Amino acid sequence: MSLPPLVEPAAELTVDEVRRYSRHLIIPDVGMDGQKRLKNSKVLCVGAGGLGSPALMYLAAAGVGTLGIVEFDTVDESNLQRQIIHGQSDVGRSKAESARDSVKEINPYVNVILHEERLDVDNVKEIFAEYDLIVDGTDNFATRYLVNDAAVLLGKPYVWGSIYRFDGQASVFWAEHGPCYRCLYPEAPPPGMVPSCAEGGVLGVLCASIGSIQVNEAIKLLAGIGEPLVGRLMIYDALEMTYRQVKVRKDPNCALCGENPTVTDLIDYEAFCGAVSEEAQVAAAGNTITPKQLKEWQDTDEDIFLIDVREPAEYEIVSIPGATLIPKNEFLLGNALEKMPQDKKIVLHCKTGVRSAEVLAVLHAAGFADAVHVGGGVIGWVNQIEPEKPVY
Ligand SMILES: [Zn+2]
């Protein structure tokens, strides 16, 4: 299914622009017409992180006339392994400004608009309305559903991508011509079930593989060429080096774009996705200790059994002295329970306190009523107790 171009062509290209884009201009499918359409295009990139970095750089280089960047974060050293739009000297700077500077360096003809705010139900429609197309480079489910719902409600196409370790996915969601993200994933995964890149890691170059697919699809939609990735999900496995695609059909029962929609306006996405499950919240209430408290217990020889519920690779990077590693999954599968001592107070920790709260709920349900967890996890521990240790 080919689709008509999203954007009308600009009146002309300048002599400088013709020189700059000559390798596009001599491709018959792009040509002067396609390049003029790119010049007239307004594309919004949500996030200037792993996917947003390569996406913005290639969109800029390709000659997309206006690029919007939604980003409120600052550049952290741990971003640089994959977020190549930022450099060493940008650490601590606004990501939006850092991204704008790189875009301007790649292509000074691009008009860059910064939206230095967190995308939410109050601003998303107003921001999206200004653009022809959205590139979704978000890394969490709440924002993903927000982007999808706003795009569907406004009738805008968007190019979606997701990355985790060596696995990537991409698709184009455009309710007018195919399915939306909710047709594919009607429900957000239960909190704690799908680890984020911050928890599970991501191969840096995977961002480029998926981000470039997103730009490829954006260019096709803007210029009206080729077969857009509408109704198809691209699945990339970098370890096996395979690209597979599966058909995604529009779900007639989709809550948003189906025949009898139940979602007719934006909703509370944090609640829909639940950063921490209700069970975990209940378990953690009144049973959360600080890293300082843990240190005091250790120093006074309190009889505790400290369990690190992260993954082995994380444990290798940094750990709290005296912690025994038992990954979260072993609790979810039930295998870990027999290893729990009956005569010691159980103290759990993870990276920041989300996963340990989930495990705490499991332990409480299994009868270990006095188990507690460490708020802030190993990151809090390093910040407060052992600042010389690395964080990730
Ligand atoms: Zn749908």
Side-chain angles (χ1 to χ4, degrees):
M1 168 186 57
S2 62
L3 293 171
L6 262 180
V7 180
E8 289 303 310
E12 58 175 11
L13 296 184
T14 64
V15 173
D16 287 340
E17 286 169 335
V18 169
R19 249 200 315 272
R20 173 176 286 263
Y21 304 124
S22 64
R23 298 300 186 275
H24 272 172
L25 298 175
I26 55 178
I27 306 176
D29 294 290
V30 182
M32 193 55 98
D33 181 75
Q35 194 65 46
K36 283 179 181 172
R37 290 184 197 275
L38 294 181
K39 180 177 177 176
N40 234 5
S41 297
K42 295 178 177 172
V43 175
L44 179 72
C45 195
V46 182
L51 292 172
S53 287
L56 284 165
M57 292 168 88
Y58 271 110
L59 287 166
V64 168
T66 299
L67 277 178
I69 304 172
V70 185
E71 181 63 71
F72 64 92
D73 210 357
T74 52
V75 180
D76 183 81
E77 218 172 344
S78 68
N79 300 148
L80 303 180
Q81 157 263 16
R82 65 198 179 285
Q83 300 181 16
I84 54 165
I85 203 166
H86 315 295
Q88 182 65 41
S89 61
D90 297 315
V91 171
R93 286 185 72 202
S94 136
K95 272 193 187 177
E97 290 179 15
S98 162
R100 177 200 55 205
D101 292 354
S102 297
V103 164
K104 285 289 188 188
E105 180 62 23
I106 291 167
N107 189 345
Y109 304 130
V110 177
N111 172 32
V112 182
I113 300 171
L114 299 187
H115 305 275
E116 285 195 82
E117 52 196 321
R118 193 186 287 267
L119 203 63
D120 60 30
V121 290
D122 295 321
N123 60 20
V124 65
K125 282 187 187 169
E126 205 178 316
I127 295 174
F128 279 19
E130 299 297 311
Y131 296 90
D132 303 304
L133 175 78
I134 291 108
V135 172
D136 181 14
T138 52
D139 59 355
N140 65 84
F141 287 97
T143 315
R144 237 171 238 165
Y145 281 95
L146 172 69
V147 167
N148 179 71
D149 293 3
V152 171
L153 292 169
L154 293 172
K156 304 261 178 195
Y158 80 100
V159 192
W160 168 83
S162 94
I163 45 176
Y164 180 70
R165 293 189 175 163
F166 294 95
D167 298 319
Q169 300 185 354
S171 191
V172 172
F173 295 114
W174 194 359
E176 228 170 277
H177 299 282
C180 79
Y181 182 70
R182 281 179 185 266
C183 295
L184 179 62
Y185 298 114
E187 299 266 356
M193 287 307 288
V194 178
S196 67
C197 289
E199 282 172 11
V202 60
L203 187 73
V205 71
L206 179 71
C207 303
S209 308
I210 300 302
S212 65
I213 289 177
Q214 290 181 281
V215 174
N216 187 68
E217 293 308 307
I219 289 172
K220 283 160 58 185
L221 290 165
L222 296 166
I225 56 177
E227 289 288 317
L229 202 52
V230 173
R232 292 184 289 150
L233 174 68
M234 181 61 79
I235 302 169
Y236 173 60
D237 181 333
L239 274 186
E240 297 293 327
M241 192 41 74
T242 53
Y243 283 95
R244 292 191 299 126
Q245 50 168 306
V246 294
K247 264 204 156 58
V248 184
R249 287 177 209 288
K250 197 174 180 75
D251 178 3
N253 298 316
C254 176
L256 182 68
C257 76
E259 285 153 16
N260 298 299
T262 52
V263 178
T264 53
D265 203 351
L266 301 174
I267 60 171
D268 180 344
Y269 294 92
E270 292 297 338
F272 179 67
C273 298
V276 180
S277 73
E278 218 167 288
E279 291 87 351
Q281 282 178 36
V282 171
N287 297 302
T288 302
I289 63 166
T290 63
K292 284 208 171 82
Q293 178 76 60
L294 171 61
K295 181 79 169 83
E296 271 172 42
W297 284 358
Q298 286 183 327
D299 289 347
T300 54
D301 288 325
E302 192 86 19
D303 212 6
I304 61 167
F305 184 52
L306 179 62
I307 305 170
D308 184 341
V309 302
R310 296 174 302 155
E311 298 302 312
E314 299 179 85
Y315 185 83
E316 222 172 278
I317 297 171
V318 60
S319 61
I320 298 179
T324 301
L325 178 72
I326 308 178
K328 183 185 81 177
N329 239 350
E330 295 199 30
F331 289 91
L332 298 185
L333 297 170
N335 311 339
L337 293 175
E338 61 196 29
K339 298 180 194 163
M340 295 301 108
Q342 299 292 340
D343 54 342
K344 288 181 176 167
K345 190 174 180 70
I346 297 171
V347 180
L348 303 167
H349 87 82
C350 62
K351 183 180 179 185
T352 60
V354 175
R355 280 174 281 174
S356 56
E358 300 285 341
V359 174
L360 193 60
V362 174
L363 281 183
H364 285 175
F368 296 92
D370 65 347
V372 297
H373 86 133
V374 182
V378 70
I379 301 296
W381 172 273
V382 171
N383 288 337
Q384 294 174 32
I385 312 292
E386 292 189 282
E388 66 283 0
K389 283 189 171 175
V391 290
Y392 62 102

